Amino acid sequence: MNTEKLYEMLKKVQEPKGYYFNDDNERVTDLMKALLANKERYGYMVCPCRLSSGNIEKDRDIICPCVYRSEDVAAYGSCYCNLYVSMEWNEGKISREYIPERRPVEKMF
């Protein structure tokens, strides 16, 4: 699969749920490439902005879209890595703030 195919597939599934791709196309393309690299490396598309253990069971919470996305987008207008955002984020109606890491420390090691 290439980045364009992945983009179209995810867009079709996620936009009806209210999750949009960041309007920074370069960032989105870089994240798509990283997701595909992680799929090749680990066998699953783990979040490229977090450190993967390589164990699918341990990483289940950070397989894209991660379990933290909904809360992050609701609170900040964007997920942790800025791949998925709200319409308000893309329209500049809310400030683009730093999204804090929600993943518990004990899951990171």
Side-chain angles (χ1 to χ4, degrees):
M1 182 178 299
N2 62 33
T3 56
E4 294 83 20
K5 211 174 211 179
L6 179 61
Y7 178 93
E8 289 305 321
M9 181 185 75
L10 293 175
K11 182 177 178 173
K12 198 181 299 185
V13 172
Q14 300 302 327
E15 279 192 1
K17 297 176 184 178
Y19 300 105
Y20 302 89
F21 286 127
N22 189 328
D23 60 4
D24 181 343
N25 293 329
E26 186 176 334
R27 175 136 179 98
V28 170
T29 299
D30 288 346
L31 289 167
M32 292 284 160
K33 288 177 183 174
L35 284 169
L36 290 171
N38 283 344
K39 170 88 170 150
E40 190 172 310
R41 184 179 299 129
Y42 303 114
Y44 50 96
M45 290 194 299
V46 67
C47 176
C49 301
R50 293 180 166 107
L51 187 59
S52 172
S53 71
N55 177 314
I56 193 167
E57 291 308 315
K58 288 183 178 180
D59 292 343
R60 198 161 296 284
D61 64 320
I62 57 170
I63 293 174
C64 188
C66 73
V67 300
Y68 311 104
R69 177 187 69 172
S70 297
E71 284 185 61
D72 286 348
V73 174
Y76 301 98
S78 173
C79 69
Y80 183 68
C81 66
N82 303 134
L83 177 63
Y84 290 108
V85 301
S86 66
M87 185 62 73
E88 293 79 16
W89 168 282
N90 274 342
E91 292 173 346
K93 293 181 179 176
I94 58 174
S95 62
R96 296 184 178 191
E97 300 176 26
Y98 169 77
I99 293 81
E101 175 63 271
R102 289 183 189 270
R103 192 173 197 217
V105 174
E106 61 271 10
K107 288 192 168 215
M108 294 183 201
F109 302 102

